[in-house]
Tab-separated table of all heavy atoms in Angstrom:
chain	number	residue	atom	x	y	z
A	1	PRO	N	71.412	109.485	124.103
A	1	PRO	CA	71.769	108.090	123.784
A	1	PRO	C	71.410	107.148	124.922
A	1	PRO	O	71.402	107.517	126.086
A	1	PRO	CB	73.287	108.153	123.571
A	1	PRO	CG	73.729	109.349	124.361
A	1	PRO	CD	72.599	110.331	124.321
A	2	LEU	N	71.126	105.893	124.535
A	2	LEU	CA	70.716	104.872	125.492
A	2	LEU	C	71.380	103.539	125.150
A	2	LEU	O	71.910	103.365	124.052
A	2	LEU	CB	69.196	104.656	125.421
A	2	LEU	CG	68.266	105.507	126.266
A	2	LEU	CD1	66.839	105.033	126.044
A	2	LEU	CD2	68.621	105.461	127.734
A	3	HIS	N	71.274	102.601	126.075
A	3	HIS	CA	71.648	101.203	125.833
A	3	HIS	C	73.074	101.118	125.283
A	3	HIS	O	73.329	100.591	124.194
A	3	HIS	CB	70.650	100.565	124.871
A	3	HIS	CG	70.555	99.070	125.012
A	3	HIS	ND1	70.365	98.447	126.214
A	3	HIS	CD2	70.623	98.086	124.085
A	3	HIS	CE1	70.320	97.141	126.021
A	3	HIS	NE2	70.484	96.894	124.742
A	4	ARG	N	73.999	101.680	126.069
A	4	ARG	CA	75.424	101.723	125.715
A	4	ARG	C	75.676	102.500	124.425
A	4	ARG	O	76.662	102.276	123.731
A	4	ARG	CB	75.990	100.298	125.628
A	4	ARG	CG	75.929	99.532	126.957
A	4	ARG	CD	76.390	98.098	126.806
A	4	ARG	NE	75.512	97.331	125.934
A	4	ARG	CZ	74.373	96.769	126.339
A	4	ARG	NH1	73.987	96.887	127.601
A	4	ARG	NH2	73.627	96.090	125.495
A	5	GLY	N	74.744	103.415	124.077
A	5	GLY	CA	74.906	104.261	122.903
A	5	GLY	C	74.366	103.667	121.630
A	5	GLY	O	74.465	104.294	120.564
A	6	ASP	N	73.723	102.477	121.686
A	6	ASP	CA	73.217	101.822	120.477
A	6	ASP	C	71.985	102.512	119.912
A	6	ASP	O	71.713	102.420	118.711
A	6	ASP	CB	72.857	100.360	120.769
A	6	ASP	CG	74.062	99.532	121.176
A	6	ASP	OD1	75.189	99.933	120.828
A	6	ASP	OD2	73.875	98.489	121.824
A	7	ILE	N	71.211	103.159	120.766
A	7	ILE	CA	69.974	103.807	120.340
A	7	ILE	C	69.881	105.181	120.987
A	7	ILE	O	70.589	105.477	121.946
A	7	ILE	CB	68.724	102.978	120.725
A	7	ILE	CG1	68.701	102.711	122.241
A	7	ILE	CG2	68.668	101.674	119.936
A	7	ILE	CD1	67.476	101.953	122.721
A	8	PHE	N	69.011	106.008	120.441
A	8	PHE	CA	68.698	107.304	121.045
A	8	PHE	C	67.249	107.293	121.502
A	8	PHE	O	66.362	106.785	120.808
A	8	PHE	CB	68.917	108.444	120.045
A	8	PHE	CG	70.290	109.047	120.102
A	8	PHE	CD1	71.419	108.270	119.851
A	8	PHE	CD2	70.473	110.389	120.407
A	8	PHE	CE1	72.687	108.812	119.903
A	8	PHE	CE2	71.738	110.940	120.462
A	8	PHE	CZ	72.854	110.156	120.218
A	9	ASN	N	67.035	107.829	122.683
A	9	ASN	CA	65.691	107.980	123.230
A	9	ASN	C	65.123	109.320	122.801
A	9	ASN	O	65.803	110.352	122.893
A	9	ASN	CB	65.748	107.908	124.757
A	9	ASN	CG	64.381	107.864	125.394
A	9	ASN	OD1	63.609	106.956	125.126
A	9	ASN	ND2	64.077	108.838	126.238
A	10	LEU	N	63.894	109.330	122.312
A	10	LEU	CA	63.210	110.556	121.942
A	10	LEU	C	61.898	110.647	122.706
A	10	LEU	O	61.118	109.678	122.739
A	10	LEU	CB	62.889	110.600	120.439
A	10	LEU	CG	63.989	111.021	119.463
A	10	LEU	CD1	65.085	109.969	119.388
A	10	LEU	CD2	63.392	111.244	118.073
A	11	VAL	N	61.661	111.791	123.327
A	11	VAL	CA	60.373	112.071	123.959
A	11	VAL	C	59.935	113.458	123.506
A	11	VAL	O	60.632	114.449	123.757
A	11	VAL	CB	60.451	112.017	125.495
A	11	VAL	CG1	59.073	112.313	126.095
A	11	VAL	CG2	60.943	110.659	125.972
A	12	SER	N	58.814	113.511	122.824
A	12	SER	CA	58.254	114.793	122.390
A	12	SER	C	56.973	115.043	123.174
A	12	SER	O	56.128	114.153	123.294
A	12	SER	CB	57.973	114.775	120.880
A	12	SER	OG	57.156	113.675	120.533
A	13	VAL	N	56.861	116.248	123.707
A	13	VAL	CA	55.741	116.595	124.583
A	13	VAL	C	55.061	117.843	124.038
A	13	VAL	O	55.725	118.789	123.609
A	13	VAL	CB	56.223	116.833	126.030
A	13	VAL	CG1	55.053	117.215	126.934
A	13	VAL	CG2	56.922	115.588	126.572
A	14	PHE	N	53.735	117.833	124.055
A	14	PHE	CA	52.985	119.017	123.625
A	14	PHE	C	51.675	119.081	124.380
A	14	PHE	O	51.223	118.097	124.973
A	14	PHE	CB	52.745	119.002	122.110
A	14	PHE	CG	52.059	117.766	121.600
A	14	PHE	CD1	50.678	117.689	121.512
A	14	PHE	CD2	52.812	116.666	121.205
A	14	PHE	CE1	50.044	116.551	121.040
A	14	PHE	CE2	52.188	115.524	120.719
A	14	PHE	CZ	50.806	115.457	120.632
A	15	HIS	N	51.059	120.262	124.362
A	15	HIS	CA	49.794	120.468	125.045
A	15	HIS	C	48.651	120.009	124.134
A	15	HIS	O	48.580	120.392	122.967
A	15	HIS	CB	49.604	121.945	125.385
A	15	HIS	CG	50.567	122.452	126.403
A	15	HIS	ND1	50.329	123.594	127.148
A	15	HIS	CD2	51.774	121.998	126.828
A	15	HIS	CE1	51.350	123.816	127.974
A	15	HIS	NE2	52.230	122.856	127.779
A	16	SER	N	47.761	119.197	124.678
A	16	SER	CA	46.633	118.706	123.897
A	16	SER	C	45.602	118.097	124.840
A	16	SER	O	45.949	117.544	125.880
A	16	SER	CB	47.082	117.652	122.882
A	16	SER	OG	45.970	117.084	122.211
A	17	ASP	N	44.345	118.179	124.442
A	17	ASP	CA	43.277	117.520	125.183
A	17	ASP	C	42.887	116.194	124.542
A	17	ASP	O	41.999	115.489	125.049
A	17	ASP	CB	42.037	118.424	125.259
A	17	ASP	CG	42.284	119.674	126.085
A	17	ASP	OD1	43.046	119.586	127.066
A	17	ASP	OD2	41.729	120.742	125.742
A	18	ALA	N	43.520	115.848	123.429
A	18	ALA	CA	43.208	114.605	122.725
A	18	ALA	C	44.173	113.520	123.169
A	18	ALA	O	45.370	113.603	122.898
A	18	ALA	CB	43.317	114.820	121.218
A	19	TYR	N	43.647	112.518	123.877
A	19	TYR	CA	44.529	111.454	124.357
A	19	TYR	C	43.722	110.212	124.663
A	19	TYR	O	42.500	110.251	124.795
A	19	TYR	CB	45.282	111.891	125.615
A	19	TYR	CG	44.401	112.089	126.824
A	19	TYR	CD1	44.103	111.038	127.692
A	19	TYR	CD2	43.850	113.335	127.102
A	19	TYR	CE1	43.286	111.222	128.791
A	19	TYR	CE2	43.030	113.522	128.204
A	19	TYR	CZ	42.755	112.470	129.040
A	19	TYR	OH	41.940	112.651	130.124
A	20	GLU	N	44.421	109.099	124.749
A	20	GLU	CA	43.877	107.845	125.257
A	20	GLU	C	44.753	107.404	126.415
A	20	GLU	O	45.963	107.607	126.393
A	20	GLU	CB	43.873	106.757	124.176
A	20	GLU	CG	42.978	107.052	122.998
A	20	GLU	CD	43.037	105.941	121.964
A	20	GLU	OE1	42.859	104.768	122.349
A	20	GLU	OE2	43.289	106.242	120.793
A	21	GLU	N	44.143	106.803	127.423
A	21	GLU	CA	44.900	106.363	128.586
A	21	GLU	C	45.687	105.102	128.259
A	21	GLU	O	45.255	104.277	127.466
A	21	GLU	CB	43.958	106.106	129.768
A	21	GLU	CG	43.299	107.382	130.278
A	21	GLU	CD	42.237	107.112	131.329
A	21	GLU	OE1	41.999	105.924	131.633
A	21	GLU	OE2	41.639	108.076	131.820
A	22	GLY	N	46.865	104.980	128.874
A	22	GLY	CA	47.680	103.793	128.669
A	22	GLY	C	49.065	104.155	128.169
A	22	GLY	O	49.340	105.301	127.791
A	23	TRP	N	49.942	103.131	128.165
A	23	TRP	CA	51.329	103.332	127.761
A	23	TRP	C	51.612	102.824	126.357
A	23	TRP	O	52.634	103.126	125.778
A	23	TRP	CB	52.259	102.610	128.744
A	23	TRP	CG	52.695	103.453	129.875
A	23	TRP	CD1	51.966	103.813	130.955
A	23	TRP	CD2	53.972	104.071	130.054
A	23	TRP	NE1	52.709	104.607	131.808
A	23	TRP	CE2	53.945	104.772	131.273
A	23	TRP	CE3	55.156	104.078	129.315
A	23	TRP	CZ2	55.024	105.484	131.757
A	23	TRP	CZ3	56.235	104.786	129.796
A	23	TRP	CH2	56.163	105.481	131.003
A	24	ASP	N	50.716	102.041	125.789
A	24	ASP	CA	50.991	101.403	124.507
A	24	ASP	C	50.021	101.846	123.427
A	24	ASP	O	49.687	101.088	122.518
A	24	ASP	CB	50.958	99.875	124.662
A	24	ASP	CG	52.186	99.358	125.389
A	24	ASP	OD1	53.283	99.861	125.113
A	24	ASP	OD2	52.043	98.461	126.232
A	25	VAL	N	49.573	103.084	123.525
A	25	VAL	CA	48.691	103.660	122.518
A	25	VAL	C	49.543	104.367	121.471
A	25	VAL	O	50.515	105.046	121.806
A	25	VAL	CB	47.703	104.649	123.178
A	25	VAL	CG1	46.793	105.275	122.135
A	25	VAL	CG2	46.904	103.952	124.267
A	26	TYR	N	49.193	104.208	120.222
A	26	TYR	CA	49.972	104.860	119.160
A	26	TYR	C	49.571	106.322	119.024
A	26	TYR	O	48.388	106.666	119.100
A	26	TYR	CB	49.772	104.131	117.834
A	26	TYR	CG	50.523	102.821	117.777
A	26	TYR	CD1	49.875	101.622	118.061
A	26	TYR	CD2	51.874	102.786	117.465
A	26	TYR	CE1	50.562	100.414	118.025
A	26	TYR	CE2	52.563	101.589	117.432
A	26	TYR	CZ	51.911	100.411	117.708
A	26	TYR	OH	52.591	99.224	117.682
A	27	GLY	N	50.562	107.172	118.815
A	27	GLY	CA	50.327	108.593	118.691
A	27	GLY	C	49.947	109.007	117.279
A	27	GLY	O	50.187	108.292	116.303
A	28	ASP	N	49.367	110.188	117.161
A	28	ASP	CA	48.916	110.760	115.891
A	28	ASP	C	50.035	111.635	115.328
A	28	ASP	O	50.292	112.731	115.826
A	28	ASP	CB	47.645	111.579	116.141
A	28	ASP	CG	47.067	112.178	114.868
A	28	ASP	OD1	47.755	112.174	113.837
A	28	ASP	OD2	45.928	112.688	114.922
A	29	ILE	N	50.698	111.157	114.296
A	29	ILE	CA	51.846	111.886	113.738
A	29	ILE	C	51.416	113.227	113.160
A	29	ILE	O	52.156	114.220	113.247
A	29	ILE	CB	52.561	111.024	112.673
A	29	ILE	CG1	53.210	109.814	113.357
A	29	ILE	CG2	53.608	111.837	111.912
A	29	ILE	CD1	53.927	108.880	112.407
A	30	SER	N	50.230	113.301	112.593
A	30	SER	CA	49.788	114.577	112.016
A	30	SER	C	49.621	115.636	113.097
A	30	SER	O	49.994	116.807	112.891
A	30	SER	CB	48.475	114.385	111.255
A	30	SER	OG	47.434	113.961	112.120
A	31	GLU	N	49.088	115.263	114.269
A	31	GLU	CA	48.976	116.233	115.355
A	31	GLU	C	50.353	116.619	115.875
A	31	GLU	O	50.614	117.792	116.153
A	31	GLU	CB	48.130	115.692	116.505
A	31	GLU	CG	47.972	116.731	117.617
A	31	GLU	CD	47.121	116.279	118.790
A	31	GLU	OE1	46.877	115.075	118.918
A	31	GLU	OE2	46.718	117.153	119.581
A	32	LEU	N	51.237	115.640	115.985
A	32	LEU	CA	52.600	115.926	116.437
A	32	LEU	C	53.262	116.957	115.527
A	32	LEU	O	53.833	117.956	115.991
A	32	LEU	CB	53.417	114.632	116.453
A	32	LEU	CG	54.897	114.765	116.832
A	32	LEU	CD1	55.045	115.069	118.310
A	32	LEU	CD2	55.655	113.498	116.463
A	33	ASN	N	53.191	116.751	114.216
A	33	ASN	CA	53.819	117.679	113.268
A	33	ASN	C	53.168	119.050	113.322
A	33	ASN	O	53.852	120.075	113.170
A	33	ASN	CB	53.733	117.101	111.850
A	33	ASN	CG	54.637	115.894	111.656
A	33	ASN	OD1	55.658	115.763	112.333
A	33	ASN	ND2	54.261	115.011	110.744
A	34	GLN	N	51.875	119.086	113.553
A	34	GLN	CA	51.179	120.366	113.668
A	34	GLN	C	51.668	121.144	114.888
A	34	GLN	O	51.904	122.359	114.807
A	34	GLN	CB	49.677	120.120	113.762
A	34	GLN	CG	48.857	121.388	113.970
A	34	GLN	CD	47.385	121.084	114.212
A	34	GLN	OE1	46.942	119.941	114.044
A	34	GLN	NE2	46.632	122.082	114.622
């Protein structure tokens, strides 16, 4: 939980060579689910 419990923070990490540099790039949900 974060922000006085109003929200939950989620970070999912996996091994992959497919990426773009930067902090505001959208992730590929299909690769995440795979």
Side-chain angles (χ1 to χ4, degrees):
L2 272 183
H3 205 51
R4 298 175 296 277
D6 297 337
I7 56 177
F8 268 60
N9 188 60
L10 279 69
V11 180
S12 54
V13 179
F14 55 90
H15 293 200
S16 174
D17 294 326
Y19 67 88
E20 296 179 51
E21 293 173 358
W23 269 75
D24 286 319
V25 179
Y26 285 97
D28 182 347
I29 293 179
S30 62
E31 182 179 16
L32 177 72
N33 290 333
Q34 177 186 350

